[in-house]
Amino acid sequence: MKWAILSGIEGNLTAYEAVMADIKPQSRYIQALYILGDVVGPTPESEKLVERLRKSQSEELAPLICKGWWEEQCLILHGLAATSEPTDLLQKYGGETVKRLWEYVSRPTVEWLRNLDFGFFELDSLLIHGTTVSVDEELTPETSPVVILDRVARMQANHLFCGRSGLTFQYNLEAGSIDTGVTTLDSQTPSQTINITPRMVVGVGNVGRNPGEATYTLYNPNTNQVEFKTVRYGVNKGFGAKKTTVRSN
């Protein structure tokens, strides 16, 4: 049995439906559906998307959802976070995006977002939007192995699944050891050897960030196999009507 792991829907209901249509034929092999944050975004479909998630269709798995960066920005805007000013949001996207996020995500929805988990620990795997340090920290294939090891080991996990970067990647740390020691002007402490067991970080992709293309991850915890899926979707016109097409690979 597999886990389907999504992230970065960002209020894109069309992209989410395309992914769910791709998952449906495989549903007999899917044990759990995880959404690692960034469910909402500064888009008019955010409310409909949340409604869709909260009322999953009878034949679908109920998604397990944790907070992401956009959820954190909503909480900040509504005075429900430790930070009172949306500094990061303003710096990255500007005032117009702040206004749209306020308009498109209602207070009742923000209250629902407030109660989402920070992440999930299943078997020996941690599923989270950012990292164990913060919701906005990105891990990528270029991240230092020392940082990767620290972020995974903080929760004593062997595998970490994250969605903040929006990339699909598999980063493996092989078994080995690290020698550590501290040297100051006055003294030097004896070195200490830390043995490392194999660890893995997986970037699960993003569903709604790139128009026309959604990516997600399938993971088999029994075999430790990771499979990245790409769903290409669009709107074709035929016989005077619009029809959504979905292609997967």
Side-chain angles (χ1 to χ4, degrees), residues 49-121:
L49 176 62
V50 169
E51 182 180 359
R52 170 76 169 82
L53 293 174
R54 298 182 70 178
K55 297 179 181 178
S56 297
Q57 298 175 9
S58 58
E59 69 275 13
E60 294 177 351
L61 288 167
L64 298 166
I65 308 169
C66 68
K67 292 187 183 77
W69 188 82
W70 283 108
E71 285 75 46
E72 185 71 16
Q73 302 314 305
C74 288
L75 296 180
I76 292 172
L77 286 178
H78 286 260
L80 300 175
T83 303
S84 58
E85 295 294 332
T87 306
D88 288 346
L89 182 59
L90 279 168
Q91 289 178 346
K92 291 180 179 180
Y93 296 102
E96 185 59 32
T97 298
V98 173
K99 180 182 177 182
R100 291 203 306 268
L101 189 64
W102 177 268
E103 292 176 348
Y104 293 145
V105 183
S106 68
R107 178 70 184 210
T109 294
V110 172
E111 291 291 345
W112 177 76
L113 299 174
R114 184 184 188 183
N115 293 316
L116 295 178
D117 292 303
F118 183 72
F120 306 101
F121 202 106

Side-chain angles (χ1 to χ4, degrees), residues 179-216:
D179 292 328
T180 64
V182 178
T183 301
T184 68
L185 293 175
D186 301 320
S187 63
Q188 179 176 350
T189 61
S191 63
Q192 180 182 6
T193 300
I194 301 174
N195 294 318
I196 302 170
T197 58
R199 306 290 175 96
M200 177 178 70
V201 171
V202 176
V204 302
N206 76 88
V207 172
R209 190 176 299 178
N210 304 317
E213 182 178 286
T215 53
Y216 71 98

Side-chain angles (χ1 to χ4, degrees), residues 142-210:
E142 286 71 44
T143 302
S144 162
V146 175
V147 173
I148 291 287
L149 177 62
D150 175 76
R151 301 310 187 254
V152 180
R154 281 171 180 255
M155 291 292 290
Q156 298 182 337
N158 289 325
H159 311 130
L160 189 152
F161 296 85
C162 55
R164 178 67 189 136
S165 71
L167 304 174
T168 52
F169 67 89
Q170 182 175 346
Y171 192 129
N172 292 305
L173 288 175
E174 302 299 333
S177 63
I178 297 177
D179 292 328
T180 64
V182 178
T183 301
T184 68
L185 293 175
D186 301 320
S187 63
Q188 179 176 350
T189 61
S191 63
Q192 180 182 6
T193 300
I194 301 174
N195 294 318
I196 302 170
T197 58
R199 306 290 175 96
M200 177 178 70
V201 171
V202 176
V204 302
N206 76 88
V207 172
R209 190 176 299 178
N210 304 317

Side-chain angles (χ1 to χ4, degrees), residues 17-34:
E17 294 290 10
V19 169
M20 294 308 294
D22 190 64
I23 289 175
K24 187 175 181 179
Q26 313 169 71
S27 59
R28 61 183 296 186
Y29 306 107
I30 306 297
Q31 180 183 27
L33 172 63
Y34 294 97

